[in-house]
Amino acid sequence: MTISNAIGAAAPTRLEGKFKAIIVCWVLGIGSLASWNSMLTIGDYYYNLFPKSYHPSRVLTLVYQPFALGTVAILAYYESKINTRKRNIAGYILFALSTLMLMVMAIVTPGKAGIGSFTGICAIVAVFGLADAHVQGGMVGDLSLMCPEFIQSFFGGMAAAGALTSGLRLITKAAFDKVNDGLRKGVMLFLAISTLVEFLCVIMYAFLFPKLPIVKYYRAKAASEGSKTVSADLAAAGIQSQGADDPKLYERLSNKQLVLQNIDYALDLFLIYVLTLSIFPGFLYENTGEHKLGEWYAVVLVAMYNFWDLIGRYVPLVKCIKLESRKGLTIAILARYLLIPAFYFTAKYADQGWMIMLTSFLGITNGYLTVCVMTVAPKGYKGPEQNALGNILVVFLLGGIFAGVALDWLWLIGKKDAF
């Protein structure tokens, strides 16, 4: 079947399979962050395994981000020439194998561990960064040329990864609480489940997603507009990828033009994640003091952030409260920076209840504003431009995460046991 025939055949039933596609996007969103969220959620295990002077939550996050940001920037630059299918499948496979290796590390490092084991875990985290760059940029670019509901569902799945891993972590921690070496055994079970989730994503993206009628329609439409990135996925769906004869069809805005036209959206994403990652997870693990919840305190804070981040990503589904104004989004994102003094004074003077409430607000605003920006930005462009813009926005998002992770170390200034 050719491109034109595929569009004609799929047009009358282009909504067929939409619900299935939304569910698959949600699961793929979970897979894009399940491994990394697993690493963040077992922070209590690493603080028990390594000396506190190693600052596991901060160091591991700092190792992760340069690999993610550097790789996604390179991939975004060459996105028009990259096989998106191979890129995404490779990313999910990397996630699965590296999570499996993390479980192996937990098996071979019982009790206290030293710099050798910590270096090995850092190497695995670097692979997480490479996988994230492949999956997040590739998936967002791919879904940007489809309907906004797919992007919303994918980002909802990313938040669900945090909520589900936090919930699962609480269950495994409680289940093994009284067992000998229970903390490590709970972590091993937890990582085994995360590994299975990643392998499920490989299967769903490779064999199920490209064959859904609505997905075939949007990819065929993008190919007819000059997109080369969807060729392999169309071939997997039994569609012969061939472009139109009109050379004007292949003219598209350059990456520089797309950045200039959408610089406010790009900076919005950057600023959202600078703030979020300057607080989560390092500040929550190391700067919130000792409270009644004891060793459960940081785990509960991470769980509350992830839960409300998930809720926030579904709030924009209510059209009347979805923020679509470009100026309004920027104002809301800048106003969110008032959370910095709020967290400082809450950690210094307030009880754990106030900190839990503030962390929940950090989560819901992060999820809400992210989805608002990502679903509004790609509108009004052709398929190849939407794919490129999706990749560019992910570069700024990961850039914000990297900057936030670096700024997170400033919270240690003045602490006696900081370094």
Side-chain angles (χ1 to χ4, degrees):
M1 183 184 292
T2 64
I3 293 291
S4 56
N5 290 338
I7 295 175
T13 58
R14 62 180 180 273
L15 295 181
E16 185 181 340
K18 184 175 182 179
F19 180 73
K20 288 182 180 178
I22 288 173
I23 297 298
V24 173
C25 288
W26 188 75
V27 176
L28 293 174
I30 291 176
S32 72
L33 271 187
S35 293
W36 177 236
N37 271 304
S38 297
M39 173 66 74
L40 295 179
T41 309
I42 59 176
D44 59 325
Y45 168 69
Y46 289 123
Y47 276 94
N48 180 267
L49 186 65
F50 300 107
K52 192 173 182 180
S53 59
Y54 283 25
H55 301 289
S57 66
R58 284 187 161 100
V59 171
L60 293 175
T61 309
L62 193 59
V63 169
Y64 176 90
Q65 292 306 326
F67 287 92
L69 179 59
T71 306
V72 80
I74 295 170
L75 292 173
Y77 184 80
Y78 293 105
E79 59 79 26
S80 62
K81 302 175 182 178
I82 293 175
N83 183 323
T84 301
R85 178 177 174 81
K86 290 182 179 179
R87 173 181 176 176
N88 289 331
I89 292 175
Y92 282 117
I93 290 174
L94 280 176
F95 270 136
L97 295 178
S98 52
T99 310
L100 180 63
M101 285 303 300
L102 207 60
M103 185 173 66
V104 172
M105 288 291 292
I107 294 172
V108 300
T109 53
K112 297 294 182 181
I115 190 65
S117 298
F118 192 69
T119 302
I121 291 173
C122 286
I124 295 172
V125 168
V127 178
F128 280 167
L130 296 176
D132 185 19
H134 280 75
V135 169
Q136 195 168 164
M139 285 300 303
V140 170
D142 197 20
L143 298 179
S144 291
L145 55 83
M146 302 182 197
C147 55
E149 290 89 341
F150 291 0
I151 283 280
Q152 188 278 327
S153 185
F154 180 76
F155 275 90
M158 291 172 69
L164 291 173
T165 52
S166 290
L168 182 61
R169 180 71 188 110
L170 290 171
I171 293 170
T172 54
K173 185 176 175 67
F176 290 89
D177 192 36
K178 304 299 182 183
V179 177
N180 182 38
D181 199 18
L183 183 60
R184 186 170 67 95
K185 291 176 180 176
V187 164
M188 288 163 55
L189 175 60
F190 177 71
L191 292 174
I193 295 172
S194 298
T195 303
L196 290 175
V197 170
E198 297 297 351
F199 278 117
L200 175 64
C201 288
V202 174
I203 295 170
M204 293 186 76
Y205 183 83
F207 301 108
L208 176 60
F209 192 59
K211 296 182 180 179
L212 295 174
I214 190 170
V215 174
K216 289 193 286 187
Y217 169 79
Y218 279 114
R219 282 177 171 161
K221 182 173 178 292
S224 73
E225 295 171 344
S227 177
K228 301 295 185 183
T229 61
V230 296
S231 300
D233 282 303
L234 287 173
I239 299 173
Q240 181 183 351
S241 180
Q242 58 181 36
D245 296 327
D246 185 1
K248 293 182 179 179
L249 198 61
Y250 295 91
E251 294 178 2
R252 49 152 282 190
L253 296 174
S254 67
N255 286 353
K256 182 179 179 180
Q257 290 172 313
L258 287 170
V259 170
L260 292 175
Q261 290 183 11
N262 296 275
I263 190 63
D264 54 336
Y265 289 132
L267 291 176
D268 283 347
L269 285 170
F270 180 84
L271 292 171
I272 289 170
Y273 284 88
V274 166
L275 174 65
T276 299
L277 271 294
S278 67
I279 296 170
F280 176 88
F283 179 88
L284 301 183
Y285 272 108
E286 297 185 12
N287 293 83
T288 51
E290 300 292 333
H291 294 275
K292 294 178 182 178
L293 286 172
E295 65 177 15
W296 286 82
Y297 186 44
V299 179
V300 169
L301 288 176
V302 171
M304 292 305 296
Y305 167 85
N306 285 324
F307 174 76
W308 285 103
D309 182 38
L310 173 61
I311 297 298
R313 297 187 187 219
Y314 285 92
V315 172
L317 290 177
V318 183
K319 297 296 184 182
C320 62
I321 57 176
K322 181 181 180 181
L323 187 57
E324 296 185 338
S325 163
R326 298 176 81 143
K327 187 178 293 185
L329 281 168
T330 302
I331 291 171
I333 289 163
L334 291 175
R336 189 167 173 259
Y337 274 74
L338 292 172
L339 286 172
I340 293 177
F343 269 95
Y344 174 79
F345 288 109
T346 300
K348 193 169 184 179
Y349 300 111
D351 200 359
Q352 60 188 24
W354 289 101
M355 183 59 73
I356 291 172
M357 183 184 73
L358 202 59
T359 303
S360 300
F361 186 74
L362 178 73
I364 195 170
T365 52
N366 183 82
Y368 171 77
L369 292 170
T370 298
V371 168
C372 285
V373 173
M374 291 302 302
T375 54
V376 172
K379 292 180 179 178
Y381 293 102
K382 292 181 179 179
E385 295 165 337
Q386 289 174 320
N387 187 25
L389 180 56
N391 275 270
I392 290 167
L393 292 177
V394 170
V395 171
F396 278 85
L397 186 154
L398 291 179
I401 292 176
F402 184 39
V405 168
L407 291 171
D408 182 42
W409 287 83
L410 295 178
W411 291 108
L412 294 178
I413 294 175
K415 288 192 72 177
K416 292 180 180 179
D417 58 345
F419 303 103

